[in-house]
Amino acid sequence: MSAVTGTISEDAPTLEDDGKTVQARPAPRDEAARLGFRLTLPAQVLVLFISAFPLLMQLYISVTDLSPLSGLGWWNAWSLWNSFANYTDLAADARFWSALKRTAIVMIVCVPAEFLLGLALATLFADDFPGKRIFYSILLMPMMVVPAVAGYMFFMLFQSGGPVNDILSSLTGSPVTIAWLSDPTLALIAVMVADIWQWTPLMFLILLAGLVGVPEDQIKAATLLGANPWQRFVTIVLPKMKTIIIIALAIRVIENFKIFDTLYIMTGGGPGVATETISVYIYKLTTQDLIWGYVAAIALAILIVLSIVAVFAMKRMARARQVPA
Amino acid sequence: MADIVFRNVTKRYGGTLAVDDASFTVNDNEFFCFFGPPLSGKSTILRLVLGLETPDSGDILIGGKLVNTLSPAGRNVAMVFQNLALFPHMSALDNVRFPLVERGVAEAEIGTRVADVAAKLHIGHILHKPPAQLSGGERQRVAIARALVRDPNAYLMDDPISALDARLREETRVELKRIQRELGKTLIYVTHDQEEAMSVADRIAILEHGRIRQIGAPAEIYDRPASTYVARLLGSPMMNILKSARGEGGVEAAEGTIRIADKTAPADAVEIGLRPEDIKVRPWVDGGRADGASSRPARVFEVEPLGGYTVVTLEAGQARLKALLRGQPDIRPDAMVAISCEPARVHYFGQSGGALAR
Amino acid sequence: MSAIHLQNLVKKFGDFTALKTMDLAIADGEFMALLGPSGCGKSTTMNMIAGMEEPTGGRILFGERDMAGVPMGRRGVGFVFQNYAIFTHMTVRQNLAYGPRMRGAAKAEIDRRVGAIAEMLQLTPLLDRKADRLSVNILQRVAIGRSAIMEPAIFLLDEPLSNVDAAFRAVMRTELKQLQRQFRQTMVYVTHDQLEAMTMADRIAVMDHGVLQQVGTPLEVYNDPANVFVARFIGAPGMNLLKGRPAESDRGLIVDLGPLGITPLLPGELAAALRGARGDVLYGFRPEQALLVPDGQGLAMRVSFVERIGARTIVHLGQGEAAVKTVFDNDVGLAIGDVAVVAPAASSVRIFDAATGLAMKAG
C-alpha cells in the first residue's frame, strides 16, 4: 500500500489553490450583478408592495373596532382605534382557543395518517405490479375532486341512512343507524376521514417522487451487504428522502391548518361548535358577527404561527440540501 | 489569414485567476492544442477566443484585427462542443443547414455549401438520419460539418471525443487530424488526454493554474520539458523524477541506485528525470560488473504486459520507478535486474522544478 | 470454496439473448477480467454471479455449491459498483460499518473490524468525514473497504475506473492491483478497456455479442487471438488484418494479398495448417511486430499518417483499400508520403479464416 500516496489533490490542482486574489477593481461579475439589481428594482418594489400591502392593512385594522355596521371605509378606521383590545380579547376568547385546539387535533391525526398511508402506497408503487397504471390513476382521483364536491360526497355517505351505515349493517347483520354528523365526536372523525381521503394522494405523489429518486445502486449495495428490506428502508431510503419528507409534511401541515370547505359543507362546524376549526370560526366572525377588527387580529396571530412552522421547515430543508443524495 | 494572437491576456472570476497573463500566437491553418488538468484555464481561453468572455486586461487579435470587445457573432469563429449539441429532433442534414438558414443564406447557396462540407467530411450518405441513429464518430463529423458550413475563420473544439470509447477515440483523432489538414483551417483544440494531444497537435500549450508553462511541438515538449510539471503531464507511464545528488564520477539518484556517469551534469540539479523507455533493464549477473560500472541493482516489483510493450515497476533504494520495455521480456516479480540510463537521455531539474540546460 | 464455475449459463431478456451458453471456470484467488464492448454480456454475467439477476438457464457454482435461489445478500460476494454507490448520507466510518451492523455484530466487534480495515486502506484519518465529498480514489477505497469488511470470498468489480480521468487511471490501476494482492480474493473485473484487463488480470475472458470469444492470460489473448474479434479488440492499435489467398511460391507457402503483392514466406507450422485450406484468409500481425525491411522482402505501402505519442511512433500505412498500422521507436524517420517496406517478424504472423474469422493453427 505504500504506493497509495498520490492523492487526487496533488494531481488535479484547483484554481482555489492559487492564492492570488484581486484587490483593485471589482470583478465584472459583481458589476453585472449590480446592473441586474437596478434593472429589476421596479418589479421588486411592485412585488413587495403587493405582498406587504394586505399585511399592513390587516395590522392597521386589527387595532380598531372596524365593522360593516360602523359605515366607515377601512382607511377611516383609525377613529375606531381601540388600543390593543382585540388582542387582549383574543387571549381570553375560549371559543378561539378551542377552535385552535380542534384544528391542531385534526392536524395531528390527519397529517401523520396521510403521511403513513402515502408512504406505504409509494413503497408499493415503487415496484412494478400488474395493473399499476390503472391503480395509479384511481389513486390520484380524490386529489382532483373539488373540495366542496368532496364535502358533499362525504355528507351523503355519512347520513344516518347513508352507505356507511348500510355497509356497517350488512357487516354486523343488524341495522346500524349511527348519526355520524350529529354526534360531536363522530362528526370530527367523519371530517378527518374525508380529509385523509382527499389528501393522501398528494402525499403519495410527492413521496413516490422522492422514493424513485433514491439511487438504486445504493439500495443494491445495501442488499449485497446483507441488509434486509426493513433495514434498507430505515438506513438508506428514509435518510435519502429526508428533504422531500420535510417538504411534504410542511405542505400538508400548512394546508391542513386551513381546513375549511369540505368540513363546512359536511357539518357547518357543528353540531354546535364540535367541528369548528379556526377557518370556520373566522368565517363566522366575518359573515355573521361582523367584527372585522377582531378577525384581522386573529388572522395576524395565525399568520405568525404558520410563518414559524414554515421558517422551521425551510431551515431544515436548507440543511438537508447541503448533503446531496 | 486567421491567426489568433493573445497578448498578456488576463481573466479573473471573482478572486480567482482563470487566465494569467497569457501570450501566444496560433498560426493560420495550425492545429493548436491546449492541455492541462481540470480548471487550468483551457475552457476559459476558448471562451475568450469565442467572445463569450472579455479579457480583464490584454489584447486578443484574430486575423490581425483587435477583437477584445467584438461580439461572438462578429468574430466568425465556430465551436464544436464537448457534448456535440446536435439538435435531436432534426435530421443530420437540417443540423448542418441550421447555421446558414439562421443567417438567411439563399437556398441555392445553402445546397452547394452543405454538399461541399458533406463531401469533405464523408457524411453525404448519413445526412438523412436523425442524430440518434448515428454512431459516435458519425455524430462527431456531423457536428464538425455544422461548425464548418458557415466557413468560419477558425474553429474550436472542447474535448470533442472524450465520450467515445478507447478504440473509437484512436480512430477518430486520426480522422480529425486528416479533416483539419484537408480543410486548411485554424483549429484550437482542448483535451484532457495526453495521447490525443500528442497525436493530433501541431503545437501544444501546457497550462497550469491559468498560466502557460510551455508551448511547442509535441515531440519538442516530450523530449525537452521545461519543468517537472510539464514532464509529468506528457507520457505514459509518466517520467520518473528522482531526487539526485552529485556523487563520484557523476550523478546519483535513488540512494545511489542509479548512477549517471555524466561529468557535464549541471551542478545545481536537485532532481533527475528518466523517461521509462530510456531505462535499460538487464539481468543482474555477478554484481552487474559485466554491464559496466554504471549499472546498479534493482528489484522487480511488478510486471504489466501490454503486448507490444511491458511496463516494469522497479524498486531501487527507497524509490519506485517504471521502465517501459519493448516486446515481452521474460522478467518476473522479485527478480534482481541491473538498471542504467544513457547520460544523454537524462533530464535535469533545479530547485524550483525548472529544467536545466547542460 | 471461492472458485466460480459458470456452466451453460444463459440469459435472455424477452426475445433478446444477452448471454449465450457461457462456460467459464474462475480459480480460487484468481483475478479474472471480463472484457468486451458495451452490450457484450459482461455486466449481465457479473450481475448473475452477484445474484442481482436470475439466469435463464445453466448453473453458477461457488466451489461445489449451486447458487440457484440464493439471494444476493447471502452469496458472500463483495461488489464494487461503477459509481461506487457510496452511502453519501453517512460518514466513511458508517459506510465501512454498514455490513457488520446490518448483521447485528456487537459494537466493540464492529469498531475493531472498521479500525482494522481503515488502517489497511489508509482511511483512518478520513473515518469521520461525510462520504459525499471525497475524491474518486478515496471513494474507490471506501467501496472496497465496505465490501472487504465482510470478508467475502469473491469480489466483483463493475468498471470501477470508467468514471476516472485518463491521467488518474494509472494510479487507480496500481492501487486496485495491490489491494487484490492484499486480500487474495477471487476477483471478477468487468471492463471495456483492454489496457485495464491486460495490466491487471491473471486471465481475461473476452466477450462479444453475448458469446465468450476466448479465455487466456493477457499475453495468450494478445499473442494468439482465437479469432478476428479478439485480434482487433486486444492491443492498441489492434492487430493488422489483410485479406488474401494462400498460394505456393517456389520457396514455399505465401499469402497472395492481391495488389499489395505477396507476403514473405509463411513459417513452417503455419504453412502446414494452411495447406489444405481453401478460400480467403486474413493475414494478421501486430503493429508492434512490424519491421522495416529492404525493398522486395515485405509489403510496400505509402505512409498516410504519423502519430508520435511519447515513447512510440504509430505509422499509418495505406495502399488502395488496405491499411496497416505499425508501431516504431521514435527514431524511425518516416514521414507522410514516404514509401515504407514492412514485414512482420516471422514468428508473429497469424492467419485467420476469412469466412469464419477463426484462427488457423497447426494440428
Coordinates of all heavy atoms in Angstrom, one line a residue, chain A residues 1-9 11 216-228 231-232 235-237 239-240 322-325, chain C residues 52 72-73 77 79 81 83 85-90 98-99 101-103 120 122 130 132-133 135-137 141 146 150 168 175 178-179 182:
Chain A
M1 N 0.8 -1.2 0.0 CA 0.0 0.0 0.0 C 0.8 1.3 0.0 O 0.3 2.3 0.0 CB -0.9 0.0 1.3 CG -2.1 -0.9 1.2 SD -3.2 -0.5 -0.2 CE -3.6 1.1 0.2
S2 N 2.2 1.1 0.0 CA 2.9 2.3 0.1 C 2.9 3.2 -1.1 O 3.1 4.3 -1.1 CB 4.4 1.9 0.4 OG 4.9 1.1 -0.6
A3 N 2.4 2.6 -2.2 CA 2.3 3.4 -3.4 C 1.0 4.2 -3.4 O 0.9 5.1 -4.3 CB 2.3 2.5 -4.7
V4 N 0.2 3.9 -2.5 CA -1.1 4.6 -2.4 C -0.9 6.0 -1.7 O -1.4 6.2 -0.7 CB -2.1 3.8 -1.7 CG1 -3.5 4.4 -1.8 CG2 -2.2 2.4 -2.2
T5 N 0.0 6.8 -2.3 CA 0.2 8.0 -1.6 C -0.2 9.2 -2.5 O -0.6 10.2 -1.9 CB 1.7 8.2 -1.3 OG1 2.4 7.8 -2.5 CG2 2.1 7.3 -0.1
G6 N -0.2 9.1 -3.8 CA -0.6 10.2 -4.6 C -2.1 10.4 -4.4 O -2.9 9.5 -4.5
T7 N -2.5 11.5 -4.0 CA -3.9 11.8 -3.9 C -4.4 12.7 -5.0 O -3.6 13.3 -5.7 CB -4.2 12.5 -2.5 OG1 -3.7 13.9 -2.7 CG2 -3.6 11.8 -1.4
I8 N -5.7 12.7 -5.2 CA -6.2 13.4 -6.4 C -5.8 14.9 -6.3 O -5.7 15.6 -7.3 CB -7.6 13.2 -6.5 CG1 -8.0 13.4 -8.0 CG2 -8.5 14.0 -5.6 CD1 -9.3 12.7 -8.4
S9 N -5.7 15.4 -5.0 CA -5.5 16.8 -4.9 C -4.1 17.2 -5.5 O -3.9 18.3 -6.0 CB -5.6 17.3 -3.5 OG -4.7 16.6 -2.7
D11 N -2.7 15.7 -8.0 CA -2.7 15.6 -9.5 C -3.7 16.6 -10.2 O -3.6 16.8 -11.3 CB -3.2 14.2 -9.8 CG -2.1 13.2 -9.5 OD1 -2.0 12.9 -8.3 OD2 -1.3 12.8 -10.3
E216 N -30.6 3.6 -7.0 CA -30.9 2.2 -7.0 C -29.6 1.4 -6.6 O -29.7 0.4 -5.9 CB -31.3 1.7 -8.3 CG -32.1 0.4 -8.3 CD -32.6 0.0 -9.7 OE1 -32.7 0.9 -10.6 OE2 -32.7 -1.2 -9.9
D217 N -28.5 1.9 -7.1 CA -27.2 1.2 -6.8 C -26.9 1.1 -5.3 O -26.4 0.2 -4.8 CB -26.0 2.0 -7.4 CG -25.9 1.6 -8.9 OD1 -26.6 0.6 -9.3 OD2 -25.0 2.2 -9.5
Q218 N -27.3 2.2 -4.5 CA -27.1 2.2 -3.1 C -27.9 1.2 -2.4 O -27.5 0.6 -1.4 CB -27.3 3.6 -2.5 CG -26.2 4.6 -3.1 CD -26.2 5.9 -2.3 OE1 -26.6 6.0 -1.2 NE2 -25.7 6.9 -3.0
I219 N -29.2 1.0 -2.9 CA -30.1 0.0 -2.3 C -29.5 -1.4 -2.6 O -29.5 -2.2 -1.7 CB -31.5 0.2 -2.9 CG1 -32.0 1.6 -2.4 CG2 -32.4 -0.9 -2.4 CD1 -33.4 1.9 -3.0
K220 N -29.0 -1.6 -3.9 CA -28.4 -2.9 -4.2 C -27.2 -3.1 -3.3 O -27.0 -4.2 -2.9 CB -28.0 -2.9 -5.7 CG -29.1 -3.3 -6.6 CD -28.5 -3.5 -8.0 CE -29.6 -3.6 -9.0 NZ -29.1 -3.3 -10.4
A221 N -26.4 -2.1 -3.2 CA -25.2 -2.2 -2.3 C -25.5 -2.7 -0.9 O -24.9 -3.6 -0.4 CB -24.4 -0.9 -2.3
A222 N -26.6 -2.0 -0.4 CA -27.0 -2.4 1.0 C -27.5 -3.8 1.0 O -27.2 -4.6 2.0 CB -28.1 -1.4 1.4
T223 N -28.2 -4.2 0.0 CA -28.7 -5.6 -0.1 C -27.5 -6.6 -0.1 O -27.5 -7.6 0.6 CB -29.5 -5.8 -1.4 OG1 -30.4 -4.8 -1.5 CG2 -30.3 -7.2 -1.3
L224 N -26.5 -6.3 -0.9 CA -25.4 -7.2 -1.0 C -24.6 -7.2 0.3 O -23.9 -8.2 0.6 CB -24.4 -6.7 -2.1 CG -24.9 -7.0 -3.5 CD1 -24.2 -6.1 -4.5 CD2 -24.6 -8.5 -3.8
L225 N -24.7 -6.2 1.1 CA -24.1 -6.1 2.4 C -24.9 -6.8 3.5 O -24.6 -6.8 4.6 CB -23.7 -4.7 2.8 CG -22.6 -4.1 2.0 CD1 -22.5 -2.6 2.2 CD2 -21.3 -4.8 2.2
G226 N -26.0 -7.4 3.1 CA -26.8 -8.2 4.0 C -28.0 -7.5 4.7 O -28.5 -8.0 5.6
A227 N -28.3 -6.3 4.3 CA -29.4 -5.6 4.9 C -30.7 -6.2 4.4 O -30.9 -6.4 3.2 CB -29.3 -4.1 4.5
N228 N -31.7 -6.4 5.4 CA -33.0 -6.9 5.0 C -33.8 -5.7 4.5 O -33.4 -4.5 4.7 CB -33.6 -7.7 6.1 CG -33.8 -6.9 7.4 OD1 -34.2 -5.7 7.3 ND2 -33.6 -7.4 8.5
Q231 N -34.3 -3.0 7.1 CA -33.0 -2.2 7.4 C -32.7 -1.3 6.2 O -32.2 -0.2 6.5 CB -31.9 -3.3 7.6 CG -32.0 -4.0 8.9 CD -30.9 -5.1 9.0 OE1 -30.7 -5.8 8.0 NE2 -30.3 -5.2 10.1
R232 N -32.9 -1.8 5.0 CA -32.6 -0.9 3.8 C -33.5 0.3 3.9 O -33.1 1.5 3.6 CB -32.9 -1.7 2.5 CG -32.0 -2.8 2.3 CD -32.0 -3.1 0.8 NE -33.2 -3.7 0.3 CZ -33.5 -5.0 0.4 NH1 -32.7 -5.8 0.9 NH2 -34.7 -5.4 -0.1
T235 N -32.2 2.6 6.9 CA -30.9 3.2 6.8 C -30.5 3.9 5.5 O -29.7 4.7 5.4 CB -29.8 2.1 7.0 OG1 -30.0 1.1 6.0 CG2 -29.9 1.4 8.4
I236 N -31.2 3.5 4.4 CA -30.9 4.1 3.1 C -32.1 5.0 2.6 O -31.9 6.2 2.4 CB -30.6 3.1 2.1 CG1 -29.6 2.1 2.6 CG2 -30.1 3.8 0.8 CD1 -28.2 2.6 2.8
V237 N -33.2 4.4 2.5 CA -34.3 5.1 1.8 C -34.8 6.3 2.6 O -34.9 7.4 2.1 CB -35.5 4.1 1.6 CG1 -36.7 4.8 1.0 CG2 -35.1 2.9 0.7
P239 N -33.4 8.1 5.1 CA -32.4 9.3 5.1 C -32.3 10.0 3.8 O -32.2 11.2 3.7 CB -31.1 8.6 5.5 CG -31.4 7.3 6.1 CD -32.7 6.9 5.5
K240 N -32.4 9.3 2.7 CA -32.3 9.9 1.4 C -33.5 10.7 1.0 O -33.4 11.6 0.2 CB -32.1 8.8 0.3 CG -30.8 8.0 0.4 CD -29.7 8.7 -0.4 CE -28.4 7.9 -0.2 NZ -27.3 8.8 -0.3
Q322 N -27.7 20.6 1.8 CA -26.2 20.6 1.8 C -25.6 19.2 1.6 O -24.5 19.1 1.3 CB -25.7 21.2 3.1 CG -25.8 22.7 3.1 CD -25.6 23.3 4.5 OE1 -25.2 22.5 5.4 NE2 -25.8 24.5 4.7
V323 N -26.4 18.2 1.8 CA -26.0 16.8 1.6 C -26.7 16.2 0.5 O -27.8 15.6 0.6 CB -26.3 16.0 2.9 CG1 -25.7 14.6 2.8 CG2 -25.8 16.7 4.1
P324 N -26.2 16.4 -0.8 CA -26.9 15.9 -1.9 C -26.9 14.4 -1.9 O -26.0 13.8 -1.5 CB -26.1 16.4 -3.1 CG -24.8 16.8 -2.6 CD -24.9 17.1 -1.1
A325 N -28.0 13.8 -2.4 CA -28.1 12.3 -2.3 C -27.1 11.7 -3.3 O -26.9 12.2 -4.3 CB -29.5 11.9 -2.7
Chain C
M52 N -28.0 -10.5 -8.7 CA -28.9 -9.4 -9.0 C -29.8 -9.8 -10.1 O -30.9 -9.2 -10.3 CB -28.1 -8.2 -9.4 CG -27.4 -7.5 -8.3 SD -26.6 -6.1 -9.0 CE -25.3 -5.9 -7.8
M72 N -29.1 -12.4 -3.2 CA -27.8 -11.7 -3.3 C -27.1 -11.3 -2.0 O -25.9 -11.3 -1.9 CB -27.9 -10.5 -4.2 CG -28.8 -9.4 -3.9 SD -28.6 -8.0 -5.0 CE -30.1 -7.1 -4.9
G73 N -27.9 -11.1 -0.9 CA -27.4 -10.8 0.4 C -26.7 -11.9 1.0 O -26.0 -11.8 2.0
V77 N -20.6 -12.2 -1.7 CA -19.8 -11.6 -2.7 C -19.7 -10.1 -2.3 O -20.6 -9.5 -1.8 CB -20.3 -11.7 -4.1 CG1 -20.4 -13.1 -4.5 CG2 -21.7 -11.1 -4.2
F79 N -19.2 -6.4 -3.9 CA -19.5 -5.8 -5.2 C -19.1 -4.4 -5.2 O -19.5 -3.6 -4.3 CB -21.0 -6.0 -5.5 CG -21.4 -5.8 -6.9 CD1 -21.6 -6.9 -7.7 CD2 -21.4 -4.6 -7.5 CE1 -22.0 -6.8 -9.0 CE2 -21.8 -4.4 -8.8 CZ -22.1 -5.6 -9.6
F81 N -19.4 -1.1 -7.3 CA -20.2 -0.5 -8.4 C -19.4 0.4 -9.3 O -18.5 1.1 -8.8 CB -21.5 0.2 -7.9 CG -22.5 -0.8 -7.3 CD1 -22.4 -1.3 -6.0 CD2 -23.6 -1.1 -8.1 CE1 -23.3 -2.1 -5.5 CE2 -24.5 -2.0 -7.5 CZ -24.4 -2.5 -6.3
N83 N -20.2 3.4 -10.1 CA -20.1 4.7 -9.5 C -19.8 4.6 -8.0 O -20.0 5.5 -7.2 CB -21.4 5.5 -9.7 CG -22.6 4.7 -9.2 OD1 -22.4 3.7 -8.5 ND2 -23.8 5.1 -9.5
A85 N -21.4 3.6 -5.5 CA -22.6 3.5 -4.7 C -22.3 3.7 -3.2 O -22.8 3.0 -2.4 CB -23.3 2.2 -5.0
I86 N -21.5 4.7 -2.9 CA -21.2 5.0 -1.6 C -22.5 5.6 -0.9 O -23.2 6.4 -1.6 CB -20.1 6.0 -1.5 CG1 -18.8 5.4 -2.0 CG2 -19.8 6.5 -0.1 CD1 -18.3 4.2 -1.3
F87 N -22.7 5.3 0.3 CA -23.9 5.9 1.0 C -23.5 7.3 1.4 O -22.8 7.6 2.4 CB -24.2 5.1 2.3 CG -24.5 3.6 2.0 CD1 -24.0 2.7 2.8 CD2 -25.3 3.2 0.9 CE1 -24.2 1.3 2.6 CE2 -25.5 1.9 0.7 CZ -25.0 0.9 1.5
T88 N -23.9 8.3 0.6 CA -23.4 9.6 0.7 C -24.0 10.3 2.0 O -23.5 11.4 2.4 CB -23.8 10.5 -0.5 OG1 -25.2 10.2 -0.8 CG2 -22.9 10.1 -1.7
H89 N -25.0 9.8 2.6 CA -25.6 10.5 3.8 C -24.9 10.0 5.0 O -25.3 10.3 6.1 CB -27.1 10.2 3.8 CG -27.5 8.8 3.9 ND1 -27.4 8.0 2.8 CD2 -28.0 8.0 4.9 CE1 -27.8 6.8 3.1 NE2 -28.2 6.8 4.3
M90 N -23.9 9.1 4.9 CA -23.2 8.6 6.0 C -21.7 9.0 6.0 O -21.2 9.5 5.0 CB -23.2 7.1 6.0 CG -24.6 6.5 6.0 SD -24.5 4.7 6.1 CE -26.2 4.2 5.7
Y98 N -21.3 -0.6 7.8 CA -22.7 -0.9 7.4 C -23.0 -2.5 7.4 O -24.0 -2.9 8.0 CB -23.0 -0.4 6.0 CG -24.4 -0.4 5.7 CD1 -25.3 0.6 6.1 CD2 -25.0 -1.5 4.9 CE1 -26.7 0.5 5.8 CE2 -26.3 -1.5 4.6 CZ -27.2 -0.5 5.1 OH -28.5 -0.6 4.8
G99 N -22.1 -3.2 6.8 CA -22.4 -4.7 6.7 C -22.5 -5.3 8.0 O -23.5 -6.0 8.4
R101 N -23.0 -4.1 10.9 CA -24.1 -3.5 11.7 C -25.4 -4.2 11.3 O -26.3 -4.6 12.1 CB -24.2 -2.0 11.4 CG -24.7 -1.2 12.6 CD -24.8 0.3 12.3 NE -26.1 0.6 11.9 CZ -26.3 1.6 11.0 NH1 -25.4 2.3 10.4 NH2 -27.6 1.9 10.7
M102 N -25.6 -4.3 9.9 CA -26.8 -4.9 9.5 C -27.0 -6.4 9.9 O -28.0 -6.9 10.0 CB -26.9 -4.9 7.9 CG -27.1 -3.5 7.4 SD -28.5 -2.6 8.0 CE -27.8 -1.3 9.0
R103 N -25.8 -7.0 10.1 CA -25.8 -8.4 10.6 C -25.8 -8.5 12.1 O -25.6 -9.6 12.6 CB -24.6 -9.2 10.0 CG -24.5 -9.0 8.5 CD -24.5 -10.3 7.8 NE -24.8 -10.0 6.4 CZ -24.4 -10.8 5.4 NH1 -23.8 -11.9 5.7 NH2 -24.7 -10.5 4.2
M120 N -5.7 -0.7 7.0 CA -5.2 -1.3 5.8 C -5.4 -0.5 4.6 O -4.5 -0.4 3.7 CB -6.0 -2.6 5.7 CG -5.5 -3.5 4.6 SD -6.5 -5.0 4.7 CE -5.3 -6.3 4.7
Q122 N -5.7 2.8 4.5 CA -5.3 4.2 4.8 C -6.4 5.1 4.8 O -6.4 6.2 4.3 CB -4.2 4.6 3.8 CG -3.0 3.7 3.8 CD -1.9 4.2 2.9 OE1 -2.1 5.0 2.0 NE2 -0.7 3.8 3.2
K130 N -17.8 13.1 6.1 CA -19.0 12.7 5.3 C -18.6 12.2 4.0 O -17.6 12.7 3.4 CB -19.8 14.0 5.2 CG -21.3 13.9 5.0 CD -22.0 13.2 6.1 CE -23.5 13.1 5.9 NZ -24.2 14.2 6.4
D132 N -19.7 12.3 1.1 CA -20.2 12.8 -0.2 C -19.3 13.7 -0.9 O -19.5 14.2 -2.0 CB -21.6 13.6 0.0 CG -21.4 14.8 1.0 OD1 -20.4 14.7 1.8 OD2 -22.1 15.7 0.9
R133 N -18.1 14.1 -0.3 CA -17.2 15.0 -1.0 C -15.8 14.4 -0.9 O -14.9 15.1 -0.6 CB -17.3 16.4 -0.3 CG -18.4 17.1 -1.0 CD -18.4 18.5 -0.5 NE -19.8 19.0 -0.6 CZ -20.2 20.0 0.1 NH1 -19.5 20.6 0.9 NH2 -21.5 20.4 0.0
S135 N -12.5 12.4 -2.9 CA -12.0 12.3 -4.2 C -12.2 10.8 -4.7 O -12.5 9.9 -3.9 CB -10.5 12.6 -4.2 OG -9.8 11.7 -3.4
V136 N -12.1 10.6 -6.0 CA -12.6 9.4 -6.5 C -11.7 8.2 -6.1 O -12.3 7.1 -5.9 CB -12.6 9.5 -8.1 CG1 -11.2 9.7 -8.7 CG2 -13.3 8.3 -8.7
N137 N -10.5 8.4 -5.8 CA -9.7 7.2 -5.4 C -10.0 6.9 -3.9 O -10.0 5.7 -3.5 CB -8.2 7.4 -5.6 CG -7.6 8.5 -4.7 OD1 -8.3 9.5 -4.5 ND2 -6.4 8.4 -4.3
R141 N -11.6 3.3 -2.5 CA -11.2 2.6 -1.3 C -12.3 2.3 -0.3 O -12.4 1.2 0.3 CB -10.0 3.3 -0.6 CG -8.7 3.1 -1.2 CD -7.6 3.7 -0.4 NE -6.9 4.8 -1.2 CZ -6.2 5.7 -0.6 NH1 -6.1 5.7 0.7 NH2 -5.6 6.6 -1.3
R146 N -15.8 -1.3 2.3 CA -17.1 -1.6 2.8 C -17.5 -3.1 2.4 O -18.2 -3.7 3.2 CB -18.1 -0.6 2.1 CG -19.5 -0.7 2.6 CD -20.4 0.3 1.9 NE -20.5 0.0 0.5 CZ -21.1 0.8 -0.4 NH1 -21.7 1.9 0.0 NH2 -21.2 0.5 -1.7
M150 N -16.7 -7.5 5.1 CA -17.5 -8.7 5.2 C -16.7 -10.0 4.9 O -17.2 -11.1 4.9 CB -18.7 -8.7 4.3 CG -19.5 -7.4 4.4 SD -20.3 -7.3 6.0 CE -21.5 -8.6 6.0
F168 N -5.5 9.9 -14.2 CA -5.5 9.3 -12.9 C -5.7 7.8 -12.9 O -5.5 7.1 -11.9 CB -6.6 10.0 -12.1 CG -6.3 9.9 -10.6 CD1 -5.2 10.4 -10.1 CD2 -7.2 9.3 -9.8 CE1 -4.9 10.4 -8.8 CE2 -7.0 9.3 -8.4 CZ -5.8 9.8 -7.9
E175 N -3.3 0.8 -7.6 CA -3.9 0.7 -6.3 C -4.8 -0.5 -6.2 O -4.7 -1.3 -5.2 CB -4.7 2.0 -6.0 CG -4.8 2.3 -4.5 CD -5.4 3.6 -4.3 OE1 -4.8 4.7 -4.6 OE2 -6.6 3.7 -3.8
Q178 N -2.8 -3.8 -6.1 CA -2.2 -4.0 -4.8 C -3.2 -4.5 -3.8 O -3.0 -5.4 -2.9 CB -1.5 -2.8 -4.3 CG -0.2 -2.7 -5.0 CD 0.5 -1.4 -4.8 OE1 -0.1 -0.5 -4.2 NE2 1.7 -1.2 -5.2
L179 N -4.4 -3.9 -3.9 CA -5.5 -4.4 -3.0 C -5.8 -5.8 -3.2 O -6.0 -6.6 -2.2 CB -6.7 -3.5 -3.2 CG -6.6 -2.1 -2.7 CD1 -7.8 -1.3 -3.0 CD2 -6.4 -2.1 -1.1
Q182 N -3.4 -7.9 -1.5 CA -3.6 -8.0 -0.1 C -4.7 -8.9 0.4 O -4.5 -9.7 1.3 CB -3.9 -6.6 0.4 CG -2.8 -5.8 0.9 CD -3.2 -4.4 1.3 OE1 -4.2 -3.9 0.9 NE2 -2.3 -3.7 2.0

